[in-house]
C-alpha cells in the first residue's frame, strides 16, 4: 500500500484538529497534555537528528506549530479567544472597549482595594480570593456561552472581563512579591 | 592528532556507525567531559585518572597554555597570568563587570568583550574557554580513540544570548562541532530522571561556582518538559568566598593586598568555606607576602551570618519560576541539588524550608550535568535512531523589539517552549516612510536601555503610504538549538528583510578565523582543508541519512521519484571522491532540495502513526 497519494497533513490546520480534540471550550486537560507529548515525540527535530536536512527543517516547523497550538489550548483565556476567532469574533480587538457599567464600578473598587492593601498581607489574601472567585465564575459562564448557548458576542464580553481580572490578579501577585 | 575518520563514501550508507560524541560541562570552577559507552554515561578521565579539570589556564610567553591542575597550582605564584573563573567574564563588556576591582587580573577594555592582559598577550574570555575545551577534546579523542563528531556543551540556563554565543565561539575555536548548547539544570534533570526513572514535577536547584539556576521540569513517560527556568548568572560559590575574603581583610585591617596575596586569601577563603560544610569552625593561618600574618578562626555561625543574604537571593528565582509555571509548592515532587556549592548546610536548610521538603542528594553534584549532556549528545549525533525520550526546553529570557520612546515590546516571552515562532504587526509613524529600523533586544525590563541589545537591521523599500497604513509583520523564530532569527515583511508589497541574530559582541567570522589561524593547533592547518573536511562530513552524514530514510520509507516514492533521488545521491557520492568543496556543496544542496517531497511524506507518516497509536489507545481505554 502506498501513502504517496494520500492528502498531506497540514500543520497550519485548526489547533483543535491538530490535536484531534473536539471544538469545545470545556477541555479534557489530561488528554490535551497527552496528545501534546505524543505529537512532539513524533515530530520534534531532535527525533529527526539523523534525518536529511530538509526533514529536520520540516520538523522545526511542525514542532513550532504544535507548541503554539498547545500554548493557546492550555490557557483558558487564550483558548476562549481562539474559539471565538473561529466563529469570527475578535474578542480582544482594540476596538472592543464597551463594558457594562457595573463591571467597571466593581473594577474600580478592586483597584482601590489593591492600592490600600499594599503591604497588608491579610487584605491582599482577601482580595486574591475575591478575584479567584470571580475568575472561576467567568470561566463557567464562558463555557456555557460557548459550548451550550452559542452566544459568541456575549462570550466575547465575558472574555474581556476575564482579561481584566487576570491582569488584576497579576498585579496582586506583584504586590505579594513586593511584600 | 587523530586521523580524520571519513569512511569510503560507497560504504558510508551502512545503517549504523557509532559516532563519537561527548557532553561537556564547562564550569566556572571545574570542567569535565562525559560520553555514552555501552548504554551508560561515563565521565572521561585524564591520564592521571582525574575526571574534573580545574577551569584554570596559565599563559606564559612563547609557550602553549597550561590548563587545569598545573595552572591552578601556579595561581599564587603567577596570579596575573593564571586565569580562573573566566566563565564569569564570558560575553561581558568591561563596564558590565561590577566586581572588576576585586579581580586579580589586568582587565582590558576591549571593544565588545573584556580582555585579559597576560604574558602571552591579550586574551579574550572566549580564547581562555577555548583552551579549556581543547584540553577536554584532546583528552576525549585520546580515550575514545577517534575524532569527535560533536559535543553538547552545557551553559547556565540563565545565560543570555551573548554568553551563549561566546560559549559557542569558544567551542568552535577549540575545534569542536557544537551539537547543542544545553542548559545545565536540564542536563542534570535528564541524568537524574533517566537514572531514577522519575515521573512527576521536579525542581533542579543548581548553585555552582559562579552561577545559579533554578528550573522546574515535568517528567512524564520519557518526555522532559521544562516548565520554567530562572536564576542569576552572577551568583555562586565564588561570592561566598568573597565574603570570607572581605571578612579576613576587615579583621586584619589589611589594605588592598597585592595580586599574589589576593589569590592566597581567596584560595584560603574557599578552603575554609568548603571545610565549614563539615566542621563547625576552621582556623585560618596564613603568611602574606607583605610580612603580615593572618591568624583567625571562622565559626560556621559567623559564616552563615555573613552570607545569609546570598542564600536568600537564591530563593527569589525559586518563587519566580513557580509563578511562571503556575505551580504551587505542593506540586513539586522533589528537588534535585546540583553544583558543588549545594554541599553547604545553609543551602540545604534554606531549600528544605522553602520547598517544605528535604532535597534529593543521591547524585554526585559535580558530574550529573556532564552525564546528562553526554546522553543528549549521543542522540543528537544520530546514534540513537528511536530515542525513547525527548527534551522540550524553553527560552530563558524574553525577546523583543524596541518601539517608540525606547520601550521594549516583547515578542517571545521567557519560558516559551522551543522551537517557537511568534509574529507581531507594526506600522510606520511618518507619512511616506520607506524604511524602518529594528532593534532586537533580550531581557525582562521595560526600557530598552536595561535590556541586552542583540542585533539591529533595516527594512527598506516600503512603498510610500500615509503614516499607520503600512503593515509590517515582524517574525521571531527560535529553533530547537535556541538560535534566534528575525524577519520583517511589509504585508501589502511583500518587501522582506531578515537577520540571523548574532549578538553585536559575539565574534565575527573573520575574528574567529584569525584566532583559529593564530592558535597552536591550527597554525599549520589550512582553513581551506578545514572547509573541505566540514563539507565531506556533512555530505557523508546526508548520504547516510537519505539511505536510511529510503530503507525504511522507500515505499512512499514512485519508481520515477526514487530514480531521481538515486541519481542525486550518486552525484554527491562522486563529488566526495574529489577535493572540490564547492562541488560537494552544490551536490549536497541538490540532494537536499531533491528530497524535500520525500521528507514531507515521511513526516506525515510519522505523525499519522503517532496519532493513530494514540487514538487506538483511547478507544481501547
Ligand atoms: N564541600 C563543599 N562545601 C561548600 N562548597 C563547596 C564544597 N565543594 C565544592 N564547593 C564549591 O562549589 C563550587 C564549585 O561547584 P561546581 O564545580 O559545581 O561549579 P561549576 O560547575 O564549576 O560552576 P558553574 O556551574 O557555576 O559554572 C565552588 O565555589 C566550590 O568552592
Ligand atoms: Mg556547574
Amino acid at each position: 500500500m502506498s501513502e504517496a497519494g494520500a492528502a498531506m497533513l497540514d500543520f497550519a490546520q485548526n489547533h483543535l484538529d491538530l490535536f484531534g480534540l473536539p471544538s469545545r471550550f470545556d477541555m479534557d486537560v489530561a488528554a490535551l497534555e497527552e496528545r501534546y507529548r505524543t505529537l512532539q515525540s513524533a515530530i520534534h527535530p531532535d527525533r529527526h537528528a539523523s534525518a536529511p536536512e530538509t526533514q529536520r527543517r520540516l520538523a522545526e516547523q511542525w514542532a513550532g506549530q504544535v507548541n503554539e497550538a498547545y500554548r493557546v489550548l492550555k490557557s483558558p483565556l487564550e483558548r476562549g479567544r481562539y474559539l471565538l476567532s473561529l466563529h469570527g469574533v475578535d474578542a480582544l480587538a482594540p476596538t472592543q472597549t464597551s463594558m457594562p457599567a457595573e463591571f467597571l464600578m466593581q473594577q474600580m473598587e478592586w483597584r482601590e482595594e489593591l492600592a490600600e492593601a499594599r503591604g497588608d498581607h491579610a487584605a491582599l489574601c482577601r482580595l486574591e480570593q475575591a478575584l479567584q472567585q470571580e475568575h472561576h465564575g467567568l470561566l463557567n459562564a464562558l463555557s456555557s456561552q460557548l459550548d451550550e448557548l452559542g452566544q459568541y458576542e456575549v462570550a466575547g464580553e465575558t472574555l474581556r472581563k476575564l482579561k481584566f481580572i487576570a491582569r488584576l490578579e497579576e498585579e496582586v501577585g506583584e504586590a505579594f512579591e513586593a511584600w | 592528532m587523530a586521523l580524520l575518520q571519513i569512511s569510503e563514501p560507497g560504504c558510508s550508507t551502512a545503517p549504523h556507525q557509532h559516532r563519537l560524541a561527548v557532553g561537556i560541562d564547562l564550569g566556572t570552577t571545574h570542567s569535565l567531559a562525559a560520553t555514552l559507552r555501552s548504554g551508560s554515561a561515563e565521565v572521561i578521565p585524564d591520564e592521571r585518572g582525574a575526571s574534573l579539570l580545574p577551569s584554570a589556564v596559565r599563559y606564559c610567553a612563547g609557550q602553549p597554555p597550561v590548563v587545569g591542575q598545573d595552572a591552578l597550582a601556579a595561581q599564587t605564584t603567577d596570579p596575573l597570568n593564571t586565569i580562573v573563573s573566566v566563565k564569569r567574564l564570558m560575553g561581558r563588556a568591561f563596564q558590565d563587570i561590577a566586581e572588576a576591582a576585586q579581580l586579580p587580573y589586568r582587565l582590558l577594555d576591549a571593544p565588545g568583550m573584556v580582555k585579559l592582559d597576560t604574558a602571552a598577550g591579550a586574551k579574550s574570555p572566549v580564547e581562555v574557554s577555548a583552551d579549556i575545551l581543547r584540553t577536554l577534546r584532546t583528552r576525549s579523542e585520546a580515550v575514545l580513540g577517534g575524532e569527535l563528531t560533536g559535543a553538547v556543551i552545557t551553559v547556565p540556563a540563565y545565560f543570555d544570548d551573548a554568553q551563549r554565543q561566546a560559549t559557542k565561539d569558544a567551542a568552535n575555536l577549540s575545534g569542536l562541532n557544537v551539537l547543542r548548547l544545553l542548559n545545565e539544570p536540564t542536563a542534570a534533570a535528564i541524568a537524574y530522571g533517566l537514572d531514577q526513572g522519575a515521573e512527576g514535577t521536579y525542581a533542579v536547584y543548581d548553585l555552582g561556582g559562579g552561577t545559579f539556576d533554578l528550573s522546574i521540569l515535568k517528567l512524564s513517560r520519557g518526555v522532559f518538559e521544562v516548565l520554567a527556568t530562572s536564576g542569576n548568572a552572577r551568583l555562586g560559590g565564588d561570592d561566598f568566598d568573597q565574603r570570607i575574603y572581605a571578612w579576613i581583610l576587615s579583621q586584619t585591617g589589611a589594605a588592598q593586598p597585592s595580586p599574589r596575596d589576593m589569590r592566597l586569601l581567596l584560595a584560603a577563603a574557599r578552603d575554609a568555606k568548603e571545610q565549614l560544610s563539615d566542621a563547625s569552625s576552621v582556623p585560618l593561618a596564613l603568611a602574606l607576602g607583605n610580612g603580615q600574618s593572618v591568624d583567625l578562626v571562622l565559626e560556621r555561625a559567623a559564616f552563615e551570618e555573613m552570607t545569609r543574604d546570598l542564600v536568600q537571593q537564591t530563593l527569589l528565582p525559586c518563587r519566580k519560576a513557580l509563578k511562571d509555571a503556575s505551580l504551587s509548592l505542593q506540586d513539586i515532587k522533589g528537588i534535585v541539588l546540583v553544583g558543588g556549592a549545594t554541599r553547604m548546610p545553609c543551602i540545604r536548610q534554606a531549600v528544605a524550608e522553602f520547598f517544605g521538603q528535604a532535597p534529593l542528594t543521591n547524585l554526585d553534584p559535580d558530574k550529573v550535568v556532564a552525564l546528562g549532556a553526554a546522553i543528549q549528545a549521543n542522540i543528537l549525533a544520530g546514534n540513537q535512531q528511536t530515542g525513547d525520550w525527548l527534551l522540550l526546553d524553553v527560552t530563558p529570557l524574553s525577546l523583543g523589539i524596541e518601539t517608540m520612546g525606547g520601550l521594549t515590546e516583547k515578542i517571545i516571552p521567557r519560558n516559551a517552549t522551543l522551537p517557537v515562532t511568534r509574529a507581531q504587526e507594526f506600522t510606520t509613524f511618518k507619512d511616506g516612510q520607506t524604511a524602518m529600523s529594528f532593534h532586537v533586544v533580550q531581557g525582562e525590563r521595560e526600557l530598552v536601555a536595561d535590556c541586552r541589545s542583540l542585533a539591529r537591521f533595516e527594512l527598506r523599500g516600503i512603498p510610500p503610504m500615509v503614516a499607520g497604513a503600512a503593515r509590517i509583520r515582524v517574525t521571531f523564530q527560535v529553533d530547537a538549538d535556541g538560535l534566534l532569527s528575525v524577519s520583517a515583511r511589509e504585508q501589502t508589497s511583500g518587501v522582506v528583510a531578515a537577520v540571523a541574530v548574532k549578538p553585536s559582541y559575539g565574534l565575527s567570522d573573520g575574528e574567529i578565523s584569525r584566532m583559529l589561524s593564530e592558535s597552536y593547533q591550527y597554525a599549520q592547518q589550512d582553513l581551506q582543508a578545514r572547509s573541505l573536511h566540514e563539507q565531506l562530513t556533512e555530505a557523508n552524514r546526508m548520504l547516510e541519512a537519505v539511505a536510511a530514510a529510503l530503507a525504511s520509507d522507500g515505499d512512499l516514492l514512485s519508481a520515477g521519484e526514487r530514480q531521481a533521488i538515486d541519481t542525486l545521491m550518486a552525484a554527491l557520492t562522486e563529488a566526495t571522491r574529489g577535493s572540490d568543496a564547492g562541488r560537494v556543496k552544490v551536490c549536497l544542496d541538490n540532494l537536499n532540495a531533491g528530497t524535500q517531497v520525500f521528507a514531507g511524506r515521511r513526516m506525515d507518516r510519522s505523525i499519522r502513526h503517532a496519532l493513530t497509536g494514540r487514538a487506538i489507545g483511547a478507544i481501547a481505554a
Side-chain angles (χ1 to χ4, degrees):
Chain A
M1 191 200 73
S2 166
E3 292 169 47
M8 294 282 270
L9 291 170
D10 175 11
F11 61 70
Q13 68 188 310
N14 176 327
H15 293 342
L16 291 142
D17 292 347
L18 183 60
F19 278 76
L21 291 165
S23 192
R24 289 172 58 86
F25 178 74
D26 201 25
M27 182 163 290
D28 178 352
V29 178
L32 175 71
E33 288 182 4
E34 165 79 38
R35 275 168 201 220
Y36 173 63
R37 282 193 289 268
T38 307
L39 276 169
Q40 284 294 14
S41 299
I43 60 172
H44 194 277
D46 289 1
R47 283 299 172 105
H48 302 271
S50 56
E53 163 81 25
T54 24
Q55 194 174 333
R56 277 181 282 144
R57 262 209 304 270
L58 212 55
E60 284 279 348
Q61 287 178 308
W62 270 98
Q65 190 60 27
V66 167
N67 277 335
E68 174 63 8
Y70 182 56
R71 177 188 75 86
V72 167
L73 296 182
K74 201 170 44 171
S75 143
L77 197 116
E78 291 293 327
R79 181 167 74 240
R81 181 183 184 182
Y82 181 70
L83 280 167
L84 280 171
S85 79
L86 295 181
H87 290 287
V89 177
D90 184 358
L92 301 181
T95 48
Q96 295 271 24
T97 48
S98 79
M99 271 292 186
E102 67 205 280
F103 183 77
L104 290 177
M105 285 299 291
Q106 174 71 73
Q107 269 281 304
M108 266 156 57
E109 268 168 44
W110 276 325
R111 288 211 169 273
E112 264 164 45
E113 239 178 282
L114 174 60
E116 280 160 25
R118 280 187 204 282
D120 179 347
H121 196 256
L124 277 176
C125 287
R126 273 198 305 279
L127 180 57
E128 189 181 40
Q129 263 195 348
L131 290 173
Q132 265 168 16
Q133 211 167 1
E134 179 75 12
H135 193 134
H136 195 73
L138 287 169
L139 282 181
N140 282 337
L142 190 60
S143 161
S144 81
Q145 286 155 4
L146 281 168
D147 293 347
E148 280 143 43
L149 308 169
Q151 300 173 333
Y152 302 121
E153 291 299 334
V154 183
E157 189 177 290
T158 310
L159 198 82
R160 286 192 287 283
K161 287 183 185 169
L162 254 179
K163 180 101 192 170
F164 262 109
I165 298 294
R167 198 171 305 144
L168 252 173
E169 285 181 303
E170 228 165 79
E171 284 173 37
V172 172
E174 279 157 22
F176 269 116
E177 206 131 277
W179 183 85
Chain B
M1 210 186 129
L3 288 171
L4 308 185
Q5 287 200 316
I6 297 171
S7 46
E8 181 67 28
C11 324
S12 71
T13 50
H16 204 73
Q17 179 195 23
H18 187 81
R19 299 191 183 93
L20 301 177
V22 294
I24 293 181
D25 176 359
L26 180 61
T28 309
T29 324
H30 301 113
S31 299
L32 65 156
T35 193
L36 217 68
R37 284 214 269 192
S38 46
S40 71
E42 286 171 24
V43 168
I44 303 174
D46 68 4
E47 63 276 10
R48 293 181 234 176
S51 48
L52 299 186
L53 176 74
S55 303
V57 186
R58 181 183 181 197
Y59 293 98
C60 304
Q63 284 168 40
V66 179
V67 179
Q69 200 56 53
D70 296 341
L72 199 60
Q75 69 164 333
T76 52
T77 51
D78 189 16
L80 294 175
N81 301 310
T82 309
I83 317 300
V84 299
S85 294
V86 73
K87 188 169 171 181
R88 299 192 83 153
L89 305 178
M90 289 289 269
R92 293 275 162 257
F94 182 77
Q95 55 275 12
D96 292 338
I97 300 159
E99 70 274 28
Q102 270 100 274
L103 292 177
Y105 309 119
R106 289 183 299 247
L107 293 183
L108 301 173
D109 186 0
M113 211 182 301
V114 65
K115 282 195 176 167
L116 300 136
D117 186 21
T118 74
K123 295 284 170 186
S124 98
V126 170
E127 291 171 276
V128 181
S129 300
D131 287 325
I132 298 169
L133 288 169
R134 192 175 297 114
T135 304
L136 290 172
R137 177 171 76 96
T138 313
R139 176 197 286 190
S140 304
E141 291 183 339
V143 170
L144 301 179
E147 199 195 353
L148 298 179
T149 298
V152 166
I153 299 176
T154 62
V155 288
Y158 219 57
F159 253 21
D160 65 27
D161 230 72
Q163 294 167 305
R164 285 169 197 263
Q165 189 64 52
T167 307
K168 218 167 198 183
D169 289 345
N172 289 335
L173 197 54
S174 75
L176 281 167
N177 169 36
V178 182
L179 296 168
R180 169 86 38 98
L181 295 181
L182 179 62
N183 292 326
E184 288 163 9
T186 311
I190 290 171
Y192 178 83
L194 293 178
D195 186 57
Q196 309 280 314
E199 291 269 309
T201 304
Y202 287 79
V204 179
Y205 180 106
D206 179 356
L207 188 64
T211 57
F212 173 64
D213 280 325
L214 191 286
S215 291
I216 299 176
L217 293 99
K218 184 166 174 176
L219 282 57
S220 179
R221 266 161 299 147
V223 179
F224 292 74
E225 192 184 346
V226 181
L227 300 178
T229 194
S230 187
N232 184 338
R234 305 168 188 216
L235 178 62
D238 284 2
D239 299 287
F240 290 74
D241 304 348
Q242 286 284 349
R243 291 291 165 86
I244 298 180
Y245 168 81
W247 174 78
I248 300 174
L249 288 191
S250 73
Q251 292 292 306
T252 56
Q256 174 72 11
S258 67
R260 187 175 177 259
D261 285 345
M262 202 166 180
R263 283 301 180 90
L264 203 63
L265 287 167
L266 279 171
R270 167 174 308 173
D271 234 31
K273 173 193 70 177
E274 292 180 2
Q275 285 180 45
L276 283 175
S277 292
D278 299 310
S280 60
S281 73
V282 287
L284 279 155
L286 294 167
L288 299 183
N290 62 8
Q292 213 181 353
S293 66
V294 173
D295 194 3
L296 294 164
V297 174
L298 179 58
E299 303 285 337
R300 187 195 279 175
F303 169 65
E304 293 185 350
E305 191 52 46
M306 68 180 79
T307 56
R308 190 175 305 275
D309 64 306
L310 296 176
V311 178
Q312 285 301 314
Q313 275 180 46
T314 68
L315 300 181
L316 183 65
C318 297
R319 250 179 241 124
K320 272 206 220 149
L322 279 169
K323 196 172 157 215
D324 282 356
S326 314
L327 292 175
S328 60
L329 289 165
Q330 296 85 290
D331 298 318
I332 305 295
K333 189 163 164 198
I335 303 103
V336 180
L337 291 187
V338 185
T342 59
R343 291 201 175 91
M344 289 187 281
C346 55
I347 293 289
R348 298 192 168 189
Q349 197 185 333
V351 170
E353 264 168 35
F354 180 84
F355 285 98
Q357 58 178 305
L360 303 159
T361 52
N362 48 343
L363 281 183
D364 183 343
D366 291 330
K367 297 185 181 145
V368 60
V369 168
L371 297 177
I375 300 172
Q376 171 86 332
N378 186 56
I379 288 198
L380 295 181
N383 284 330
Q384 210 161 337
Q385 294 290 334
T386 47
D388 47 7
W389 64 275
L390 174 71
L391 168 65
L392 297 167
D393 216 333
V394 300
T395 51
L397 298 158
S398 303
L399 294 160
I401 217 148
E402 175 170 355
T403 59
M404 301 287 295
L407 296 179
T408 336
E409 174 74 22
K410 284 182 189 159
I411 310 255
I412 294 184
R414 65 169 185 270
N415 291 322
T417 306
L418 302 179
V420 55
T421 305
R422 284 295 169 77
Q424 188 144 324
E425 277 192 5
F426 294 88
T427 189
T428 44
F429 124 96
K430 272 194 221 141
D431 285 342
Q433 187 177 337
T434 58
M436 202 171 209
S437 60
F438 297 92
H439 183 197
V440 182
V441 298
Q442 180 172 44
E444 306 313 315
R445 309 282 291 276
E446 227 146 87
L447 291 179
V448 165
D450 298 329
C451 290
R452 207 148 257 276
S453 159
L454 296 184
R456 291 172 189 275
F457 72 104
E458 276 197 355
L459 176 66
R460 302 189 156 276
I462 303 172
M465 290 180 240
V466 292
R471 288 181 19 246
I472 291 118
R473 194 172 172 80
V474 177
T475 306
F476 274 50
Q477 186 168 7
V478 184
D479 66 14
D481 282 316
L483 299 176
L484 170 67
S485 41
V486 182
S487 63
R489 182 192 154 93
E490 203 288 306
Q491 299 290 79
T492 53
S493 62
V495 193
V496 178
V499 281
V501 175
K502 185 154 191 187
S504 358
Y505 23 63
L507 301 180
S508 67
D509 287 342
E511 249 176 311
I512 293 241
S513 19
R514 181 187 55 75
M515 286 181 176
L516 271 178
S517 58
E518 279 171 10
S519 74
Y520 291 90
Q521 194 94 21
Y522 291 100
Q524 292 92 351
Q525 206 179 330
D526 191 351
L527 284 173
Q528 221 155 356
R530 196 172 136 88
S531 141
L532 175 63
H533 176 209
E534 276 167 11
Q535 291 294 344
L536 287 178
T537 309
E538 187 53 35
N540 282 314
R541 191 188 145 93
M542 179 74 183
L543 285 169
E544 215 176 294
V546 177
L550 287 172
S552 63
D553 297 305
D555 60 316
L556 292 173
L557 297 169
S558 69
E561 289 168 332
R562 171 69 193 245
Q563 175 74 54
I565 291 179
D566 284 343
T567 309
L568 291 171
M569 283 178 81
L572 180 56
T573 306
E574 183 57 38
T576 57
R577 298 218 164 97
S579 57
D580 182 351
R583 200 152 155 254
V584 176
K585 170 117 181 46
V586 169
C587 292
L588 191 57
D589 289 347
N590 288 344
L591 182 56
N592 251 320
T595 50
Q596 198 119 21
V597 173
F598 183 37
R601 291 195 197 139
R602 290 193 78 215
M603 278 308 286
D604 210 55
R605 171 176 273 183
S606 62
I607 294 163
R608 282 184 205 275
H609 279 189
L611 287 177
T612 33
R614 240 300 311 180
I616 290 163
I619 292 162

